[in-house]
Amino acid sequence: MQILNMRNKIWSLALLSMLSSLMLLGQGRVKTDFVAQKLVVKLKPSQADYFESQRRESVFKFLVDHQERMFSKSQPLAFKTATENQVDLSLIYTLSVFQNVDLMDVKRELESLNVFEYVERIPVRYTTATPNDPNLNLQNYLAQINAFTAWDVTTGSATVKVGIVDTGTDMDHPDLQSKMSENANDPINGIDDDGDGYIDNFNGWDFVDQDGEPQIVGGSHGVHVAGIAAAATNNGEGVASIGYETVFMPIRAGDGNIITHGYEGIVYAADMGCDIINCSWGGFDASSLEQDVINYATYNKGALVVCAAGNQNRDQAYYPAAYENAFAVAAVSGVDKKSTISNYGYWVDMTAPGESIYSTVNDGGYNSNTGTSMAAPMVAGAAALVKAVYPQLSGKQIAEKLKLAGNDIYGSNPAYANKLGKSRLNVGNAVSGSIQQASVIFENMKITNKTDDVFKGNDSLFVSGTFTNYLSQSGNVIATIQTSSPYVTVNHDQEDLGVMNALLQLDNYDTPFSFKISDTAPINSIVTFEVVISDGVFTNSHFFDVVVNVDYLNIAINNIAMSLGSKGQVGYNGRNQNQGLGVQYKGGISQLFEGGLMIGTNQNGFVRVVDRVRNGNNSWDDDFKSEGIIQRKIPAPIGAYYLEGVFNDSNAQADTIGLQVLYNGYAYTDEKHQNYVVLEYEVVNTNNTALNDLHVGLFADFDVSDYTHNKSHTDLKRYMTYTKDTQLNTPCFGVQLLTPGEFHSYCMDNVDGGAGGVDIYNGYNNSKKYTTLSSNRYSSGIGSTDGNDVIQVTSMGNISIASGDTFKVAFAILAADAVVMLEETADSAYYRYNGSLPTSIIENDQPEVSVKMYPNPTDEVVFIEVPETEGRIQQVRIWDVTGKQVYRLEGVNNRHQINMSNFIEGVYLVEVQVESGVWRSKLVKNSN
């Protein structure tokens, strides 16, 4: 299942995406930046005393340096008075992990304890302003949003506070210094007079320097934002703000364009009584912690959190704007056209002007900036005026007033229908008293097929949620879900909610809307649904997309969870980590950026490669055409889960080789076989002539922990290429060739210039793809001490297929907690697939290491001896024929005796590690 751009969605840890920062690298990839060696956890309420109890010591002693409450000033909620939606921030802790301990290992360990609601890394956020020409018309947007009419009704109130969570402010700016809110209970004297835990927070707080002076250090982003919302107005100087008399609380949450303490800043603003909180920053990933913070400000404190929609011109959810209960603001031009930079989507609530907005800047100056960073504080200032007129309204209610009062601008934006929110800001209308109707909103939406939530043909979909009336009493409210798509059949489409009083909430969890997906729906059909809620006076619509009859399946029955697409994709079915699980290990987030099958040939100097992986210019090749949607077979003919499908290369046009590929994937659940998934490809030559020099391989861009610190290596003994992090003791991920043949491994550095290998940083054409399929480069990331962003290709080469014949190539996708364990997994996979271990493993490949093992064969006891010149025996390991490790001993003397009386008859592999090397040999155990 994939739900696209869904407003009011319940986000869980499992939906964490890999897209957070705005830093664009080669191939258009968007990578995630996180705070180093820190995790955030939320205790289950039943475990509230976990960190104060003795239980934590056994788990945390060697993993976590220390822990502390993230929101140390927040008190536990009173059980009897807390409402259902309120958030208990006292349960949230940050953990500082030891530098020599793998962050992802700790994350997995904590997730297994059944103590925490979630365990997450902490993403870094970025501001969303774009500097522009300062010599443009000044503040023409005030008339556009009807501010002058609003000021005839109200000039706001100094009792209404807007929290500006940003990069700080210019505290002595002539248009701002008189507008900063003052905490009279804590004058500047070096004492925490009001006992709130912050010393001298008279004018806000600086989370970067942890003091009461939120003075901006670099740039002017926070200064510009503050001036739009709340600069001094009618003072004969500088600019006018929408908020007029409204005061603002400066909260420094970062520097330059990086926001490191945004969510602490939101909590601070909410706790300090800010009615409106502005966040002109964000990123492309979701977080349970961040959703909790938005919910806390909304439900616990009644604030409205206004957020910029982002400046990437994408129809893609941007956070915090796209969180449920955040108020997302996109930007328009002075003539109400969507700004060319503004993001958009069903998650947007409204628009406001955002181009060439003139406001305050650092050092007492003024300038124009463009961006959704400017549109958001315009709405925040307008919300403050509404609060001044209607002080009894909560943040959610103010949001509905603003949306209903705005102007419909879709006539000027037909290409963005329903993806620019309800309306464009009209603050004059919002405070005029003309908005008297009800406003019922559909929230907390859940979509399921009640099985695996991968929506296929003939599946039934069930859609449910809550309906809340945020304004006046309604008439008889009817909620109807509808779609123009011919690919779903409606079973239940309407709910009669009756008359709803203000703030009444109802739900349809017991009687959800329901649909059936047609088995004739084209693959990956996007079905747009609209929930229309109306009492005849007001009408609200909630839009969302669902991808149905998807052409991928999830294999998630052992320690590896991954997706496989119908056209050769591995990990994800679409671009940018879209549709699918990626490759996950033991419940962690995906460690794969992109993967897929590649097949290439060079006959008579004509290089052709067919695939569905990147090519360059932020695009990918689409050479494979599915001949039938991927299907699961029950019961599984092999393993515990089995899927299969077929595709051909007819989409490749001039590159078409003439192939049909029958593929399957399967996984086991028994011991020692839980860390790999097998992928088999039967390649059929559909030409009238033979094919020679064919190469079949898997492209895998693993991003293990921090992708900039990765290295890839080749294990020639096991026909395996793997990737690991260079700085952390994280799990490693690999691809192993299972079918005997000519093994190739090519490790790439995905950096500008290629670090001596094939350079794909700015493009990956057929010539480069063929080189990586047909030649070898056994390591990457080794030119830098810290490693690089690396990519691997594991392949089988020089295959010849006669006309009409078939050739099978199989791979295993592997993961383990350490390289030595990955080797064990590879041995298990290879043996189960082939019935033997690789020849290079069975035979002793290091005869220079002097080890004696006798008697061999043995009936009961075997002795292992090494001369003193070889050093002590460091480790002895024994595997059975299934690849299962049956014996392991660390740190023994130069002579070691093993009692094999309990071993069953058969052949075993013995590995002896000494200081000078590793020795391996077969050992035969006779019957007793």
Side-chain angles (χ1 to χ4, degrees), residues 436-440 469-477 499-503 535 537-538:
Q436 297 293 328
Q437 65 262 46
S439 186
V440 180
N469 179 15
Y470 283 104
L471 295 179
S472 304
Q473 185 185 64
S474 73
N476 191 66
V477 178
V499 175
M500 297 184 68
N501 293 329
L503 300 181
D535 68 350
V537 177
F538 86 91

Side-chain angles (χ1 to χ4, degrees), residues 38 120 258 286 447 601 657 777:
K38 280 189 179 292
E120 296 181 344
I258 298 177
I447 304 178
T601 184
I657 299 173
R777 186 175 186 246

Side-chain angles (χ1 to χ4, degrees), residues 219-470:
S220 285
H221 190 270
V223 184
H224 200 273
V225 168
I228 296 169
T233 304
N234 198 32
N235 64 342
E237 186 167 5
V239 295
S241 70
I242 292 88
Y244 214 107
E245 299 292 341
T246 303
V247 298
F248 77 98
M249 178 180 292
I251 300 164
R252 184 174 172 229
D255 282 326
N257 72 329
I258 298 177
I259 300 295
T260 53
H261 297 80
Y263 292 90
E264 294 97 321
I266 293 172
V267 170
Y268 178 87
D271 287 345
M272 293 300 164
C274 291
D275 305 284
I276 318 297
I277 303 170
N278 188 84
C279 304
S280 289
W281 42 267
F284 288 111
D285 65 312
S287 158
S288 296
L289 163 70
E290 296 173 356
Q291 180 66 77
D292 262 350
V293 169
I294 300 297
N295 290 346
Y296 174 81
T298 302
Y299 292 118
N300 295 51
K301 299 299 180 179
L304 175 63
V305 184
V306 180
C307 304
N311 296 347
Q312 292 72 39
N313 191 30
R314 294 185 186 178
D315 184 356
Q316 182 177 346
Y318 187 82
Y319 303 97
Y323 286 125
E324 187 167 7
N325 299 315
F327 197 65
V329 182
V332 294
S333 69
V335 293
D336 283 337
K337 294 275 191 179
K338 186 193 85 70
S339 176
T340 56
I341 63 172
S342 179
N343 293 334
Y344 54 97
Y346 293 137
W347 47 275
V348 171
D349 289 293
M350 76 181 317
T351 60
E355 295 187 356
S356 300
I357 305 301
Y358 196 73
S359 182
T360 50
V361 295
N362 199 13
D363 295 327
Y366 302 88
N367 209 334
S368 292
N369 278 348
T370 291
T372 58
S373 277
M374 286 62 255
M378 203 171 299
V379 172
L385 293 186
V386 175
K387 182 70 174 179
V389 176
Y390 306 102
Q392 77 281 7
L393 296 186
S394 69
K396 294 276 283 188
Q397 292 174 299
I398 292 171
E400 292 310 304
K401 280 274 189 185
L402 289 171
K403 288 194 292 186
L404 292 179
N407 294 60
D408 185 340
I409 60 169
Y410 282 112
S412 301
N413 297 277
Y416 302 99
N418 305 309
K419 293 187 176 182
L420 294 176
K422 178 80 171 177
S423 60
R424 192 261 293 137
L425 178 64
N426 184 330
V427 63
N429 198 22
V431 300
S432 67
S434 62
I435 308 300
Q436 297 293 328
Q437 65 262 46
S439 186
V440 180
I441 301 299
F442 186 52
E443 301 175 298
N444 303 316
M445 186 171 66
K446 298 178 181 178
I447 304 178
T448 182
N449 63 357
K450 297 186 178 180
T451 55
D452 58 1
D453 288 345
V454 176
F455 299 157
K456 312 287 281 189
N458 288 321
D459 276 1
S460 291
L461 300 186
F462 301 91
V463 181
S464 58
T466 59
F467 301 88
T468 306
N469 179 15
Y470 283 104

Side-chain angles (χ1 to χ4, degrees), residues 853-874:
M853 182 174 66
Y854 62 90
N856 185 13
T858 182
D859 297 328
E860 184 172 348
V861 175
V862 65
F863 296 92
I864 298 174
E865 292 182 358
V866 299
E868 292 184 1
T869 55
E870 298 287 356
R872 290 167 56 90
I873 298 174
Q874 296 177 333

Side-chain angles (χ1 to χ4, degrees), residues 18 483 536 922:
M18 292 291 288
T483 179
K922 290 182 292 184

Side-chain angles (χ1 to χ4, degrees), residues 1 13 55 97 192 217 240 254 287 312 405 454 462 610 680 750 794 826 909 916:
M1 176 192 70
L13 182 62
R55 290 174 293 161
V97 178
D192 182 10
V217 174
S287 158
Q312 292 72 39
V454 176
F462 301 91
V610 289
E680 282 188 328
N750 190 28
T794 308
L909 172 67
S916 59

